[in-house]
Amino acid sequence: MKIGIIMLAAGNSRRFGSNKLLYEIQGKPMFCYILDTLYDVQKNWEQLPGEPESCLEVSVVTQYDFIAEQAEKYGFRVYNNPAPERGISSSVRIGLEANQEADAALFCVADQPWLSGQTIGGLIHACIRGEKGIVCVSDGTHMGNPCIFRKKYFGELGLLNGDKGGKKVVLSHSDDVEIYQVAADQELLDIDYKV
């Protein structure tokens, strides 16, 4: 099974007041936390219990040269979003177009610096082992990112418009959704304002 991991990092950070992805948390730009985590998950995938014949491929969708340069250092594929003002759906489409051969696509955002590799790996295993077409993380109260969709939902995801992500597809197919519980609520915290 081929899993395309798509990191969405093209937003304009309107509420934040500046490019929040470059905002430093404990001396490191916010987006680097997710890059590090994805690199570790991909590198150690063979050592995780699961399906050895499955493979992970990471793509980063961004409008920022600095993020693109850093992602390329990890060996990730990078795709430019030339029109990020069209909302997150534009990045979703770019990521999907680059992963048409994948059996499933996992979308993560670049403003969740505390998201763990254990959660990403667990989400992938839940998709591989389970029968549901969608697997989403939850803190027990709310669903959030990341979320993984099997290929049968690529068409619907590609039809999203504006600043609408996969949540619309999730809500439309609630009977085909598996929930993966995160170890710590902080993992799902995304940063919209300076801390």
Side-chain angles (χ1 to χ4, degrees), residues 16-159:
F16 198 77
S18 61
N19 185 352
K20 68 178 175 179
L21 302 183
L22 302 182
Y23 181 68
E24 290 196 357
I25 297 177
Q26 297 176 346
K28 188 161 76 170
M30 188 187 311
F31 78 93
C32 287
Y33 285 89
I34 298 295
L35 284 182
D36 288 344
T37 299
L38 294 179
Y39 179 77
D40 288 342
V41 168
Q42 186 181 47
K43 185 173 110 179
N44 299 318
W45 181 245
E46 300 81 20
Q47 300 171 18
L48 296 172
E51 304 291 332
E53 66 271 18
S54 60
C55 67
L56 309 180
E57 192 164 274
V58 180
S59 304
V60 177
V61 181
T62 187
Q63 64 168 314
Y64 302 109
D65 291 341
F66 182 71
I67 293 177
E69 290 165 7
Q70 295 302 308
E72 286 172 348
K73 289 180 182 177
Y74 288 83
F76 298 158
R77 297 185 302 165
V78 176
Y79 299 92
N80 178 57
N81 183 341
E85 67 277 1
R86 294 180 181 171
I88 196 169
S89 63
S90 62
S91 290
V92 168
R93 278 194 298 278
I94 291 168
L96 282 174
E97 287 170 12
N99 285 274
Q100 284 300 304
E101 295 181 4
D103 298 296
L106 184 152
F107 292 93
C108 61
V109 292
D111 60 353
Q112 288 182 305
W114 297 288
L115 184 67
S116 72
Q118 178 182 352
T119 291
I120 294 172
L123 193 68
I124 294 169
H125 283 299
C127 176
I128 292 172
R129 296 171 178 164
E131 298 181 358
K132 300 291 188 179
I134 303 170
V135 187
C136 291
V137 294
S138 172
D139 60 6
T141 306
H142 302 97
M143 286 190 295
N145 289 309
C147 193
I148 187 166
F149 299 85
R150 287 186 179 269
K151 193 180 190 89
K152 66 180 178 178
Y153 290 113
F154 285 12
E156 280 185 65
L157 290 165
L159 294 174

